[in-house]
Amino acid sequence: MVHRSFIGIFPTQEVISQLAILQSTIKNLNTPFRWEEQIKFHITLSFLGDKDEVWLQELFSNLTKTFSSQKKFSISLLRFGLFSQRAIPRTLWIGSHREENFELCTIADAVQNICVELGHTKEEKTFHPHITIGRAKAQRRISLHLITKIENTFFEPLQFACNEIRIMKSVLHEKGSHYTTLFTVPLR
């Protein structure tokens, strides 16, 4: 059986609650975004696309071997940001720069290398630590004033311990996607 899948890290419930409050702060600015559900807040280490169960089992085995001695580590969420496509903001996120989450980026790079060793195409974009909280409803330009307001909305940094990496199944529905954990790779 084939599953649309990704590898991710999910924050603690306490951080999810804080992210929801921050999401509400931006909602109040009347922004043109579809809002991610709290249950879907995560950091994607690698989007895998459609993979069969045998490949996913081999991935799980390789991740488990690689990270069997990996200690838990802290992840920091420090700012709002926007990913744009052709100068049109598409994704609203909360995250950090790479150098502010060095250990997370090292893990993400190792995950990417494992996926490539198993025949997965290397991702073109460099990993950027973030949790998506909203996606643009349509390809509309957002005013520079609103972009500046979003990017200058400050908050107390959020931190959580990463104690596991998950391989997830993502099933698309009319109203969005639904995630299910396929495998969990624990950290020490």
Side-chain angles (χ1 to χ4, degrees):
M1 180 172 234
V2 173
H3 301 291
R4 181 176 187 265
S5 50
F6 66 91
I7 302 168
I9 294 172
F10 286 75
T12 61
Q13 189 55 53
E14 180 182 333
V15 169
I16 288 171
S17 297
Q18 292 299 313
L19 289 167
I21 292 168
L22 293 171
Q23 185 186 53
S24 292
T25 301
I26 301 300
K27 279 182 188 179
N28 292 335
L29 299 176
N30 294 321
T31 54
F33 290 102
R34 271 184 301 110
W35 301 103
E36 285 293 336
E37 299 172 59
Q38 294 176 32
I39 197 165
K40 292 171 56 179
F41 289 164
H42 70 280
I43 297 171
T44 301
L45 299 177
S46 183
F47 178 74
L48 304 171
D50 293 332
K51 297 294 183 188
D52 67 42
E53 290 179 352
V54 173
W55 192 91
L56 291 168
Q57 180 64 51
E58 188 173 356
L59 172 64
F60 171 63
S61 177
N62 287 3
L63 290 173
T64 300
K65 281 184 224 164
T66 300
F67 296 117
S68 63
S69 62
Q70 173 65 46
K71 292 182 180 173
K72 298 173 188 176
F73 62 95
S74 181
I75 295 174
S76 299
L77 305 172
L78 306 169
R79 67 185 47 80
F80 284 101
L82 293 156
F83 292 139
S84 299
Q85 190 173 36
R86 290 181 232 118
I88 299 173
R90 303 294 301 146
T91 305
L92 173 63
W93 53 263
I94 295 176
S96 71
H97 297 301
R98 282 183 62 88
E99 63 274 6
E100 295 165 327
N101 271 303
F102 180 77
E103 196 159 10
L104 171 60
C105 292
T106 301
I107 298 289
D109 292 344
V111 165
Q112 184 64 223
N113 290 337
I114 291 167
C115 292
V116 169
E117 287 170 11
L118 292 173
H120 183 67
T121 303
K122 183 171 174 58
E123 295 194 28
E124 293 177 20
K125 295 178 184 173
T126 302
F127 173 75
H128 184 108
H130 74 281
I131 293 176
T132 297
I133 63 167
R135 299 182 191 281
K137 289 181 183 174
Q139 289 200 349
R140 294 187 348 211
R141 292 200 182 277
I142 297 176
S143 73
L144 185 56
H145 174 72
L146 182 55
I147 291 171
T148 302
K149 213 170 193 178
I150 291 170
E151 291 179 338
N152 290 326
T153 300
F154 297 101
F155 56 89
E156 286 294 318
L158 303 176
Q159 288 197 317
F160 64 97
C162 174
N163 55 16
E164 65 184 22
I165 297 168
R166 298 185 200 174
I167 301 173
M168 304 295 294
K169 175 171 78 170
S170 174
V171 178
L172 296 176
H173 297 285
E174 209 173 274
K175 293 185 178 181
S177 55
H178 175 75
Y179 301 158
T180 305
T181 301
L182 295 173
F183 301 99
T184 300
V185 179
L187 305 180
R188 290 193 306 119

